[in-house]
Amino acid sequence: MHHLMQEQTCRPDLLVFSVVSDADIPAGYQDQPDVQVLRGDKGLCAQRNRGLDHLGDRYDLIVFYDDDFVPSKDSIDRIKRFFAAHPDVVGATGNVIRDGIKGPGIPLDVARDLLAKHEKKDFSPNCIVTSLEGLYGCNMAYRASAIGECRFDERLRLYGWQEDIDFASSLSARGRIVKTFAFSGVHQGVKYGRTSGVRLGYSQVVNPIYLVRKGTMSIGFAARLIVRNVLANHARALRPEPWIDRAGRTKGNWIAARDILLGRVLPERIEAL
């Protein structure tokens, strides 16, 4: 919480934590006018929607951070500058200096060191790198006026795999969805509290197909996503990384394949697995 408020060169107008229980409230939380906690049902999409419903149209920009994302000290200030400089952009994802999701995870002290080194370089050009089909959910910002009544799809239950792509794609007709180096941070990729291997493996196959049918993911993007993950799970099942349940993911892939052959494309079924 400290790096989201006290350490920012430009404090956010309001910091919202959308949690399931008091156990999820971050250490150091204090009841302040510009820090609020919302409690409700579990699930990434449900929690994010709870935040959107609470914020309404009172703010110009809404930023989503995962609870294991550590933004640079000037992140909020640079987000404001970026959107002011690019009025055609409705959504942007920043520069992830290091992503712990691809490994065993990054401790907080290491994340802070990485950010300190990055901030000394001052490499934060206020430009668009490329247009995207979707944004990276750990670190994404939107114009509230573009969001309007749009919400995250709560059929993508629990971890909500690919919910960030779906949401960004839903807004793409309202303006550009882009990547930028203007604001940065480190994604720790903390491994506790994540969806089981079987459930994630199921989502890796079913969710992209569901989003293709919905019209928020292209067939090519979905095919690459499914093939890459299924091949990785099977190739590493016998010698998995210590932090990944490859056997569980492989099993989930096969359960999903069976359901698809039976005509069932139900992302919410992961709650029964």
Side-chain angles (χ1 to χ4, degrees):
M1 175 174 156
H2 197 70
H3 55 261
L4 287 171
M5 294 297 285
Q6 286 82 358
E7 294 180 4
Q8 287 292 315
T9 58
C10 175
R11 287 170 64 105
D13 295 320
L14 180 67
L15 178 61
V16 175
F17 293 102
S18 185
V19 303
V20 177
S21 68
D22 289 348
D24 302 318
I25 298 174
Y29 169 76
Q30 296 178 350
D31 190 16
Q32 303 172 42
D34 54 357
V35 180
Q36 295 182 7
V37 173
L38 307 178
R39 300 168 180 81
D41 295 338
K42 67 179 179 179
L44 183 60
C45 292
Q47 288 171 249
R48 285 182 165 169
N49 285 343
R50 195 153 58 240
L52 288 174
D53 291 342
H54 177 75
L55 295 172
D57 58 359
R58 291 178 292 156
Y59 301 91
D60 294 328
L61 300 173
I62 296 176
V63 183
F64 295 95
Y65 287 137
D66 280 0
D67 57 4
D68 60 350
F69 186 83
V70 187
S72 62
K73 293 179 180 178
D74 58 359
S75 187
I76 300 299
D77 179 52
R78 289 189 178 275
I79 287 172
K80 290 183 176 181
R81 293 188 193 184
F82 176 78
F83 278 90
H86 301 280
D88 59 331
V89 171
V90 297
T93 192
N95 177 29
V96 180
I97 300 167
R98 186 79 61 82
D99 194 352
I101 204 70
K102 300 176 181 178
I106 301 172
L108 181 58
D109 58 340
V110 175
R112 287 183 175 276
D113 287 343
L114 289 168
L115 283 171
K117 292 176 182 177
H118 176 78
E119 288 162 358
K120 287 181 181 179
K121 298 177 183 177
D122 193 31
F123 180 70
S124 302
N126 197 31
C127 63
I128 294 170
V129 176
T130 184
S131 293
L132 297 173
E133 185 167 334
L135 302 184
Y136 193 6
C138 70
N139 155 49
M140 56 185 184
Y142 288 96
R143 293 189 192 276
S145 58
I147 293 176
E149 298 300 316
C150 185
R151 294 294 183 265
F152 290 87
D153 189 341
E154 294 189 26
R155 289 190 66 186
L156 303 175
R157 301 289 172 81
L158 303 179
Y159 190 48
W161 202 68
Q162 298 301 303
E163 102 296 337
D164 44 5
I165 302 295
D166 175 57
F167 187 75
S169 180
S170 297
L171 300 180
S172 60
R174 305 176 186 181
R176 296 185 67 186
I177 302 294
V178 304
K179 176 179 174 57
T180 179
F181 286 141
F183 48 97
S184 306
V186 174
H187 187 205
Q188 291 179 260
V190 175
K191 297 301 182 280
Y192 61 80
R194 294 190 179 275
T195 301
S196 73
V198 174
R199 286 173 166 172
L200 181 55
Y202 187 88
S203 295
Q204 286 176 334
V205 176
V206 166
N207 286 17
I209 293 175
Y210 168 73
L211 296 180
V212 167
R213 290 187 172 186
K214 183 180 175 182
T216 56
M217 183 178 285
S218 68
I219 294 175
F221 188 97
R224 290 191 297 272
L225 202 59
I226 293 171
V227 170
R228 183 174 70 241
N229 283 296
V230 170
L231 289 180
N233 292 337
H234 286 72
R236 299 172 183 170
L238 295 179
R239 298 184 65 183
E241 306 89 331
W243 56 87
I244 297 180
D245 178 14
R246 291 289 181 186
R249 292 187 186 185
T250 301
K251 180 180 179 181
N253 292 161
W254 282 102
I255 295 173
R258 182 191 64 191
D259 277 4
I260 290 166
L261 288 173
L262 293 174
R264 297 189 300 223
V265 182
L266 305 171
E268 58 267 39
R269 194 166 113 70
I270 62 170
E271 292 186 320
L273 297 179

